[in-house]
C-alpha cells in the first residue's frame, strides 16, 4: 500500500470510521443523470400501526436516578470507576462501545478537565484523551505548566457511535457520576473542553465560541457544590482549525493565573 493510502486510512480510523460500506469504488464526480420531476403524491395511505419504542430510547429520569444511587455509594474514585463500569442505564453502552472510559490523572488535582465523550482510541485503551486530541491537550497542559495539576474525565463514559456528540439525555444519565467525581476529587477549578461539555455542565444553550474564556459557576444538581468553570475550545476542534489555538492558549493562561491566585490563597 502506498503511503498516501495508509495515511488516508489512518485519518479515517482516527475519525472513528471503521467499516467500509461498499467494496467497489464510486465515481462521485460523474455527471448526475437528470430525472423528470416525480408526480404529485396520491392520497395518504392508511396510518401505520404504532411503532415500538426504539431500542435505545431511555427513560432519562429513572436511569439518572439509578446512576445517582450507585454514585452516592462510591466512597472513592476506584469504587466510582467500578460503579460506572457496572452501570447499564446509559444507552451508549449498547451502541458498540468496547468498555467504560472513566478518568486519568491526579486523584486530588486542583483542576478537573471535562471533555465530551471518549473517541475511538479512548474506547480501545480505556482512558480519556489518549488519541490525537488528547495528545494535543497533554502538550498544551505541559506548556502551561499544568500537567501534574489535572484530573481528566468526560461528560459520558462510553464512546458515542461514529464519534458523534453525546446527546443531552446521555449526558443527563451520566451526570451523577461526573458530580460524584467532582465531590471526590474536590478540584478548585473546572476546564470544560468543547461545546457539548460546556453546555451540558453549565446547562446553557450558547455555542462554545460565545462561552469560552469566561468564568461560570458550575453547581451540582443538589446545590451543595459550586466550582468555578472555564469553557474552552476542544482540542479535536484545534486539530481541524489550528488558528483556534491562540484562543485556547489564552484560556489556559486564564486558568493557570486563577489557579495560582486560588491555591496561593489556600
Ligand atoms: N474527546 C473527548 O471529548 N474526550 C476524550 O476522552 C477524547 C476525545
Amino acid at each position: 500500500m502506498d503511503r498516501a493510502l495508509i495515511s488516508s486510512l489512518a485519518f479515517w480510523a482516527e475519525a472513528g470510521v471503521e467499516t467500509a460500506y461498499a467494496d467497489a469504488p464510486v465515481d462521485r464526480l460523474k455527471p448526475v443523470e437528470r430525472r423528470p420531476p416525480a408526480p404529485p403524491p396520491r392520497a395518504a395511505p392508511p396510518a401505520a400501526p404504532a411503532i415500538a419504542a426504539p431500542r435505545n430510547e431511555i427513560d432519562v429520569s429513572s436511569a439518572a436516578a439509578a446512576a445517582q444511587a450507585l454514585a452516592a455509594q462510591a466512597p472513592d474514585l476506584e469504587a466510582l470507576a467500578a460503579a460506572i463500569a457496572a452501570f447499564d442505564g446509559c444507552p451508549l453502552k449498547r451502541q458498540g462501545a468496547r468498555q467504560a472510559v472513566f478518568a486519568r490523572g491526579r486523584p486530588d488535582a486542583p483542576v478537573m478537565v471535562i471533555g465530551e465523550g471518549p473517541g475511538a482510541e479512548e474506547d480501545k485503551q480505556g482512558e480519556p484523551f489518549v488519541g490525537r486530541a488528547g495528545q494535543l491537550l497533554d502538550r498544551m497542559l505541559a506548556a502551561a505548566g499544568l500537567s501534574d495539576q489535572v484530573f481528566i474525565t468526560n461528560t459520558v463514559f462510553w464512546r458515542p457511535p461514529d464519534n458523534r456528540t453525546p446527546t443531552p439525555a446521555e449526558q443527563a444519565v451520566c451526570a451523577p457520576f461526573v458530580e460524584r467525581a467532582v465531590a471526590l476529587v474536590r478540584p478548585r477549578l473546572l476546564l470544560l473542553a468543547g461545546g457539548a461539555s460546556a453546555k451540558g455542565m453549565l446547562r446553557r444553550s450558547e455555542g462554545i465560541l460565545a462561552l469560552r474564556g469566561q468564568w461560570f459557576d458550575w453547581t451540582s444538581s443538589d446545590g451543595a457544590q459550586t466550582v468555578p468553570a472555564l469553557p474552552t475550545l476542544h482540542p479535536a476542534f484545534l486539530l481541524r482549525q489550528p488558528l483556534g489555538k491562540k484562543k485556547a492558549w489564552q484560556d489556559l493562561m486564564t486558568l493557570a493565573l486563577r489557579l495560582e491566585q486560588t491555591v496561593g490563597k489556600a
Side-chain angles (χ1 to χ4, degrees):
M1 250 194 287
D2 72 13
R3 284 180 49 207
L5 182 55
I6 292 172
S7 149
S8 172
L9 286 173
F11 171 83
W12 287 113
E14 175 68 28
V17 177
E18 293 174 332
T19 320
Y21 65 88
D23 291 332
V26 178
D27 183 357
R28 298 196 189 281
L29 299 177
K30 204 166 103 189
V32 182
E33 195 186 305
R34 300 239 171 261
R35 287 168 189 253
R42 297 199 189 164
I51 302 167
R55 192 167 64 91
N56 292 314
E57 197 171 282
I58 39 167
D59 173 352
V60 175
S61 47
S62 58
Q68 171 67 42
L70 276 176
Q73 285 164 22
D76 53 33
L77 290 169
E78 209 182 315
L80 185 60
I84 291 169
F87 180 62
D88 288 329
C90 180
L92 289 173
K93 190 171 182 177
R94 301 183 293 280
Q95 293 177 33
R98 291 179 209 210
Q99 57 183 320
V101 176
F102 173 41
R104 68 177 170 96
R106 198 174 128 186
D108 61 345
V111 175
M112 184 182 283
V113 180
I114 305 180
E116 300 186 343
E121 201 51 40
E122 290 75 21
D123 184 52
K124 258 185 226 157
Q125 296 190 33
E127 291 210 316
F129 281 107
V130 289
R132 281 180 64 224
Q135 287 158 18
L136 174 58
L137 175 68
D138 283 349
R139 287 198 298 276
M140 293 177 69
L141 291 170
L146 295 169
S147 295
D148 55 355
Q149 308 286 315
V150 293
F151 180 87
I152 300 177
T153 188
N154 280 304
T155 61
V156 299
F157 306 108
W158 291 268
R159 178 198 178 195
D162 301 325
N163 288 354
R164 67 160 168 74
T165 304
T167 65
E170 290 155 358
Q171 290 182 317
V173 170
C174 293
F177 295 120
V178 180
E179 288 197 5
R180 186 70 187 140
V182 176
L184 291 168
V185 175
R186 298 167 48 89
R188 310 296 295 264
L189 303 173
L190 302 179
L191 182 69
L192 307 177
S197 171
K199 289 199 240 180
M201 293 296 294
L202 299 174
R203 304 171 194 106
R204 302 201 53 121
S205 59
E206 300 98 311
I208 188 63
L209 291 174
L211 296 174
R212 65 146 283 275
Q214 303 176 62
W215 288 102
F216 295 85
D217 272 345
W218 170 80
T219 305
S220 58
S221 51
D222 62 0
Q225 311 176 70
T226 297
V227 185
L230 182 70
T232 191
L233 301 175
H234 195 286
F237 171 81
L238 301 178
L239 289 172
R240 296 190 301 273
Q241 306 273 342
L243 286 179
K245 285 182 185 170
K246 184 174 171 192
K247 290 193 171 96
W249 183 248
Q250 285 167 349
D251 297 345
L252 275 189
M253 291 298 96
T254 302
L255 180 83
L257 181 64
R258 178 121 181 206
L259 183 64
E260 209 175 282
Q261 292 164 347
T262 310
V263 173
K265 267 197 273 160

